[in-house]
Amino acid sequence: MQVDLLIQARWIIPVEPESVIHENSSLVVDEGKIVDLLPTEQAILKYQARSVEILDQHALIPGLINCHTHAAMSLLRGIADDLQLMDWLQNHIWPAEQKWVSEAFVRDGTDLAIAEMLRCGTTCFNDMYFFPEITAQQAMQHGMRANVGLIVFDFPTVWAENADAYLTKGLALHEQLRHETLISTSFAPHAPYTVSDGPLRNVITYADEMNLTVHMHLHETAHEVDEQKGKNGQTPLRRLHDLGLLTPSFIAVHMTQLSAEDIRIYAETGGHIVHCPESNLKLASGFCPVAQCLAAGINVALGTDGAASNNDLDMLSEMRTAALLGKGVAGDASAVSAMTALQMATINGAKALGLDGEIGSMTIGKAADVVAIDLSELETQPMFNPLAQIVYAASRHQVTDVWVAGKQLLKKRKLTSFDLPALKQKIKLWQERLQERPGD
């Protein structure tokens, strides 16, 4: 039988079924889909492939899903470090954005983010930022899978003048993108403290009608929770629950400030959490009680947040931090295992985005979003358990090859759709602009 691609690997970790690791096996890909997974000896006899990749020192995993990003903010990496969240936002990030964010800023910043994410093994990202049409355009140009946030604020920005305008533009963009195979959309009201009840009710109505997810920062800091309580005695979570926003289509990002009662209430709604451990640590925002949330039946995915607050988009590093921090917060070394961390970075993200029928694991019929990691490096030797080595020891520089829907976007560490010297020159120009001071 003739197929497009045969990837022979030392190990294949499909994620589903859980904890299964295939040795000396091959992934068979045709027309962008996984059509078989079987021992390499059998694959050679059964299939004639137009292209064969022999990766006999590598592990294959499903493409990583970065479930919360602000991709274009990669241009602000390192511009305001070592600050608390509200100081960082109000006195540094928002003023820089007000001055510089434009279609060109989002185009170049998104290109930088996509290039970095592919080199880290990420094949899908869930974004929230201005000019989402540009984010979608750049993702499509590079063959990257993306869920693009239809952002909503109460106040005017460079993209829209008020909440109604954000929704109108978002609805038009959703219509424009709805037939794109690699692009999906979510409503993305920024946060409880930046979006009032009226626009949130409109988001609920549209999301229900259009069967779209809603992606929102929630309970990121103690300040956010205390401020809301001071206004009406409610936590932000309780306010959104009373509005009817918390449903199985809701994706809450951060959730570092959670009581046992909050966890119980949120579990009952069927909503999802995106854990961003490194950003939360860097901004001293708090700790999401991941083990408790998982034990309550909440689906917990993983994201990096933007490179302005992380300061990278490295999902391998994020998995390690999530596993280690989860153990420390729970006081239990068995909490957030290597397998759990990998699930958070793959199938759990797919579930949150409503894409688990298409991506998140290497099972027959799903899209061939695949990452190859070279485990022969000194830093991942000796080899007792490839899954543990990926989560606890491997680095992003060991990601050698990446496919999205069967198309190779990273080949032997080289990006196939980027002119890197040209991209670096654009980033250098942005650096010079962003360093300008008033009067320059």
Side-chain angles (χ1 to χ4, degrees):
M1 179 180 174
Q2 193 163 54
V3 294
D4 291 333
L5 175 64
L6 191 68
I7 309 174
Q8 302 175 11
R10 177 66 179 84
W11 301 277
I12 297 179
I13 306 172
V15 172
E16 292 180 322
E18 181 178 336
S19 300
V20 170
I21 300 176
H22 300 277
E23 295 194 51
N24 300 312
S25 294
S26 291
L27 199 70
V28 186
V29 177
D30 196 53
E31 297 183 351
K33 301 283 187 181
I34 296 168
V35 297
D36 210 346
L37 195 172
L38 70 171
T40 294
E41 289 183 357
Q42 297 176 24
I44 292 170
L45 296 175
K46 186 175 181 179
Y47 295 100
Q48 291 182 317
R50 296 178 183 87
S51 178
V52 177
E53 293 281 347
I54 300 174
L55 302 172
D56 54 7
Q57 300 184 97
H58 295 64
L60 299 186
I61 61 171
L64 300 174
I65 299 171
N66 191 339
C67 218
H68 179 63
T69 60
H70 309 287
M73 291 182 78
S74 289
L75 289 180
L76 300 175
R77 187 196 326 260
I79 202 168
D81 288 331
D82 306 324
L83 300 170
Q84 297 291 118
L85 174 65
M86 296 316 294
D87 181 16
W88 177 80
L89 270 178
Q90 294 173 348
N91 299 321
H92 301 273
I93 297 302
W94 285 348
E97 288 179 326
Q98 186 174 17
K99 182 175 182 179
W100 290 112
V101 171
S102 62
E103 290 190 12
F105 179 98
V106 173
R107 181 177 299 109
D108 294 342
T110 299
D111 275 356
L112 175 60
I114 290 173
E116 179 182 358
M117 286 190 282
L118 287 171
R119 282 158 51 114
C120 299
T122 294
T123 57
C124 176
F125 66 104
N126 179 33
D127 204 57
M128 177 193 285
Y129 207 61
F130 309 106
F131 297 102
E133 69 277 17
I134 302 299
T135 304
Q137 173 187 299
Q138 297 313 108
M140 289 187 287
Q141 177 180 322
H142 296 293
M144 182 73 152
R145 197 180 299 276
N147 186 73
V148 178
L150 310 176
I151 197 163
V152 181
F153 285 94
D154 279 348
F155 50 81
T157 66
V158 68
W159 197 61
E161 63 270 20
N162 56 42
D164 287 343
Y166 288 104
L167 286 166
T168 298
K169 294 184 79 168
L171 291 168
L173 181 58
H174 167 76
E175 182 64 23
Q176 177 186 331
L177 295 173
R178 66 190 184 94
H179 297 300
E180 295 293 337
T181 57
L182 294 179
I183 307 295
S184 52
T185 57
S186 293
F187 286 103
H190 173 259
Y193 54 88
T194 54
V195 188
S196 54
D197 288 359
L200 288 177
R201 290 191 183 98
N202 290 333
V203 166
I204 294 166
T205 299
Y206 288 128
D208 287 346
E209 288 177 358
M210 300 161 66
N211 194 30
L212 291 185
T213 55
V214 179
H215 170 210
M216 189 177 191
H217 301 104
L218 183 60
H219 280 224
E220 182 173 1
T221 65
H223 173 77
E224 173 198 335
V225 176
D226 292 342
E227 186 176 53
Q228 180 71 52
K229 282 182 176 179
K231 289 178 179 178
N232 60 8
Q234 287 183 310
T235 65
L237 189 148
R238 175 56 78 173
R239 172 188 161 218
L240 300 188
H241 184 271
D242 289 353
L243 283 170
L245 191 60
L246 305 186
T247 72
S249 296
F250 187 78
I251 305 169
V253 183
H254 298 303
M255 298 287 264
T256 67
Q257 312 293 318
L258 294 177
S259 66
E261 179 68 2
D262 291 331
I263 293 170
R264 183 192 65 78
I265 291 170
Y266 196 68
E268 289 176 355
T269 71
H272 311 267
I273 291 174
V274 179
H275 180 36
C276 302
E278 294 186 1
S279 177
N280 294 153
L281 285 166
K282 185 164 184 283
L283 293 169
S285 299
F287 310 111
C288 178
V290 171
Q292 288 177 258
C293 292
L294 291 170
I298 299 171
N299 179 55
V300 182
L302 200 58
T304 60
D305 210 342
S309 65
N310 187 303
N311 291 19
D312 61 44
L313 305 177
D314 182 355
M315 284 289 286
L316 282 178
S317 173
E318 212 73 35
M319 278 196 290
R320 180 178 305 122
T321 302
L324 299 179
L325 185 63
K327 298 172 192 300
V329 170
D332 178 1
S334 66
V336 192
S337 66
M339 186 69 234
T340 299
L342 181 59
Q343 289 170 325
M344 290 168 64
T346 54
I347 191 62
N348 291 9
K351 288 175 180 176
L353 298 175
L355 297 175
D356 49 311
E358 181 75 5
I359 60 174
S361 63
M362 292 188 293
T363 55
I364 293 171
K366 287 194 177 186
D369 291 11
V370 181
V371 172
I373 302 173
D374 184 355
L375 295 179
S376 69
E377 297 287 342
L378 180 69
E379 290 78 5
T380 43
Q381 294 294 316
M383 176 56 62
F384 301 112
N385 183 326
L387 170 59
Q389 293 292 61
I390 289 168
V391 173
Y392 296 126
S395 76
R396 57 180 167 178
H397 304 292
Q398 291 171 256
V399 174
T400 60
D401 300 85
V402 173
W403 293 262
V404 175
K407 181 178 179 181
Q408 193 160 16
L409 303 184
L410 185 72
K411 185 177 179 64
K412 296 181 180 178
R413 290 293 298 162
K414 294 189 181 298
L415 292 161
T416 62
S417 68
F418 281 90
D419 179 343
L420 283 189
L423 177 59
K424 287 180 178 180
Q425 182 59 33
K426 289 179 182 179
I427 305 313
K428 182 180 178 183
L429 291 173
W430 279 111
Q431 178 183 328
E432 292 170 356
R433 292 172 192 151
L434 287 158
Q435 286 176 322
E436 289 180 10
R437 296 292 179 262
D440 286 353

